[in-house]
Amino acid sequence: MTVAASATSICITNNKATTIAIGGVGEDSRLVSSSLSASSASFSSSSTSSFRFGLSSSIPSTPLLTIPTCAASRLHLLRLPPPRRCFASMDSGEFPSLYPLHRCKTIYLVRHAQGIHNVEGDKNYKAYMSPEYFDAYLTPLGWQQVDNLRKHVHTSGLLNRIELVVTSPLLRTMQTAVGVFGGDGYTDRMDTLPLMLANAGNSRRAAISSLNCPPIVALELCREHLGVHPCDKRRSISEYQCLFPAIDFSLIASDEDTLWKANVRETKEEVAARGMNFMKWLLSRKEKEIAVVTHSGFLFHTLSAFGNDCHCSVKKEIAQHFANCELRSMVLVDKSMIGSDSSPINYPGKIPSGLDLPSDLADEKNLENGKT
């Protein structure tokens, strides 16, 4: 028997499915190709070998027609039924998803504004290796980007909805976090600590108040790709606490940076795994609307792990690279009940409680009451 090439695909099944590009089957490949142009073939390795013609390798093996092997030479005589439409399963991403609202959180992901390392690093990646960019701070243009985003979160009303801001403990992310989400008009006469001292990190900015703004907490889990690049190495927490007095650093265990290594770069898989742990941490929080100020690499590798159950365009949208000071809102779904929140909106119903009767019994009861 000979195998000729055409547009037909064949699935060879032996408990596992493997799809290969191959052509028609039979002595007369031209006739077979024309007969099977809209169909797929699959071989089944059972004790009685047979050809099974189904719809495609992605469809469960329900053959339209089974033919003994000895009849392979007469395949061109077959008249197969027209192909059926392939219907997607509920898990394929072509159907809407439905989750209880109290099992979801809204997260507002923000990449830091332009840092001094971005200016040259965007032109030449090797510039990120320069020691002069250690713990890079924001450029004047970066602070303009902060002001623009700050205006947006105020005019849109978003600031009033955010219950918590989580920031990576590096200068450029903390400057972005306090600049966008911090309070206004700090003076030394205030009883509260400022979020940022004047000119912290060469900012040339006035002190930023911690009044009338959500709490800001620093967390190592959402740091940038760790290792090798000096711009991603942090200072000591004690030094940061002097510059950003009202940021909460209590969740960071080590004063010195023990995560960054000069000669070991975190792998993409390790960044994604750390990002997944960060998402689980977010789900464990009581807050429902959380802003996260972090980094481009961390966002890209973390978000690339999501969206596999969505349309390919949605997955692409999720993982698209962030621009400096870009904000995107997303819904984080707790599929594994990591959190334990109950809904403050749901209503139990059936108050007062009582025994429900099936509709047919209720009708009979009404008839009996009518007779009496």
Side-chain angles (χ1 to χ4, degrees), residues 56 74 80 84 91 120 122 145 151 161 163 176 189 193 196 234 248 269 275 286 296 320 343 351 353:
S56 74
R74 298 191 298 274
L80 298 178
R84 295 176 295 178
D91 296 327
E120 293 300 323
D122 287 350
Q145 294 169 344
K151 183 182 298 184
R161 295 163 52 182
E163 303 167 69
T176 302
R189 294 189 301 273
L193 292 172
M196 187 183 82
R234 70 166 172 82
D248 182 359
E269 292 76 17
K286 69 179 186 302
S296 174
Q320 186 177 1
S343 172
I351 297 177
S353 60

Side-chain angles (χ1 to χ4, degrees), residues 13-174:
T13 57
N14 182 13
N15 295 327
K16 296 182 179 179
T18 304
T19 302
I20 58 174
I22 197 169
V25 183
E27 294 175 346
D28 190 337
S29 59
R30 291 172 299 174
L31 291 175
V32 172
S33 297
S34 61
S35 299
L36 305 183
S37 59
S39 305
S40 314
S42 65
F43 293 101
S44 174
S45 61
S46 60
S47 56
T48 57
S49 179
S50 62
F51 290 95
R52 298 187 303 167
F53 292 84
L55 295 178
S56 74
S57 60
S58 62
I59 302 298
S61 55
T62 305
L64 296 180
L65 188 60
T66 301
I67 308 148
T69 306
C70 60
S73 62
R74 298 191 298 274
L75 283 175
H76 63 279
L77 300 177
L78 294 175
R79 292 296 180 265
L80 298 178
R84 295 176 295 178
R85 181 180 178 185
C86 176
F87 291 95
S89 69
M90 291 295 287
D91 296 327
S92 68
E94 295 189 22
F95 288 85
S97 297
L98 194 65
Y99 293 96
L101 180 61
H102 66 282
R103 300 290 178 198
C104 304
K105 293 184 187 294
T106 304
I107 56 175
Y108 304 95
L109 302 176
V110 179
R111 181 192 175 190
H112 63 79
Q114 186 192 64
I116 58 171
H117 63 310
N118 293 138
V119 178
E120 293 300 323
D122 287 350
K123 302 174 186 175
N124 180 10
Y125 186 77
K126 292 181 179 180
Y128 289 118
M129 300 290 293
S130 175
E132 68 177 295
Y133 298 136
F134 162 66
D135 192 20
Y137 52 85
L138 297 187
T139 65
L141 176 60
W143 279 107
Q144 291 179 29
Q145 294 169 344
V146 166
D147 292 339
N148 291 338
L149 181 56
R150 178 182 180 83
K151 183 182 298 184
H152 170 73
V153 300
H154 277 266
T155 57
S156 65
L158 181 58
L159 186 66
N160 298 326
R161 295 163 52 182
I162 293 174
E163 303 167 69
L164 177 71
V165 177
V166 183
T167 180
S168 161
L170 290 171
L171 267 179
R172 59 191 182 272
T173 43
M174 290 189 291

Side-chain angles (χ1 to χ4, degrees), residues 337-359:
M337 294 186 67
I338 296 172
S340 57
D341 296 339
S342 59
S343 172
I345 301 173
N346 291 357
Y347 183 73
K350 203 177 183 181
I351 297 177
S353 60
L355 181 65
D356 283 340
L357 293 175
S359 59

